């Protein structure tokens, strides 16, 4: 597959080519460079109000993949070989509830990064975060 346009990767073509992998070759490993790129892309994942309500666990060792494979027990046992044979496995963990403590945490990090020229902007930003977080919960 040639997924380049003018020497640049054509992301649309790459995503259009994807398919569900049924089996992995355990002898093939992702390069350190590709692993670092994947980590950078995950870190840059966009989220509403910069909440980033997730974290990622990446398992590349046999021990780490064995731990993640425990999640395939029972009905999903058919996925165990995929977890064990893949070069790396990314576990996506997401918050199911975002409370004010977490919103304060995110806002404080942004403040430490110098995002707010004035304290009132920080307060306004926190209020906007509350609004957008609670808009679908029936709290507003």
């Amino acid at each position: 597959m040639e997924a380049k346009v003018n020497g640049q990767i054509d992301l649309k073509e790459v995503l259009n080519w994807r398919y569900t992998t049924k089996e992995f070759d355990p002898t093939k490993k992702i390069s350190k460079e590709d692993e670092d790129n994947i980590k950078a892309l995950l870190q840059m994942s966009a989220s509403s109000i910069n909440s980033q309500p997730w974290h990622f666990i990446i398992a590349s060792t046999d021990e780490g993949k064995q731990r993640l494979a425990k999640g395939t027990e029972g009905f999903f046992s058919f996925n165990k070989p995929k977890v064990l044979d893949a070069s790396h496995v990314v576990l996506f963990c997401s918050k199911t509830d975002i409370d004010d403590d977490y919103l304060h945490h995110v806002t404080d990090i942004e403040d430490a990064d110098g995002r707010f020229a004035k304290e009132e902007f920080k307060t306004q930003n926190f209020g906007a975060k509350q609004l957008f977080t609670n808009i679908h919960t029936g709290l507003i």
Side-chain angles (χ1 to χ4, degrees), residues 69-82:
K70 290 178 183 179
T72 67
E73 293 174 357
F75 180 77
F76 297 101
S77 62
F78 58 88
N79 284 319
K80 187 172 185 175
K82 295 174 189 174

Side-chain angles (χ1 to χ4, degrees), residues 82-97:
K82 295 174 189 174
V83 172
L84 297 177
D85 291 344
S87 172
H88 291 63
V89 179
V90 179
L91 178 63
F92 179 87
C93 307
S94 178
K95 288 182 150 303
T96 58
D97 183 43

Side-chain angles (χ1 to χ4, degrees), residues 3-4 22 32 49-50 55 61 66 72 95 101 110 138:
K4 291 190 175 189
K22 302 294 183 203
K32 177 70 174 137
I49 61 163
N50 197 31
H55 64 273
T61 65
Q66 283 285 350
T72 67
K95 288 182 150 303
D101 287 341
E110 292 171 336

Side-chain angles (χ1 to χ4, degrees), residues 27-75:
T27 66
K28 293 187 177 181
K29 301 296 178 191
I30 294 173
S31 71
K32 177 70 174 137
E33 180 182 5
D34 285 344
E35 178 183 1
D36 291 343
N37 284 333
I38 290 167
K39 287 178 182 178
L41 291 169
L42 291 172
Q43 187 177 20
M44 291 186 287
S45 298
S47 63
S48 179
I49 61 163
N50 197 31
S51 60
Q52 300 175 340
W54 51 67
H55 64 273
F56 306 95
I57 297 171
I58 302 174
S60 60
T61 65
D62 288 340
E63 178 186 35
K65 291 185 284 186
Q66 283 285 350
R67 289 179 67 191
L68 291 184
K70 290 178 183 179
T72 67
E73 293 174 357
F75 180 77

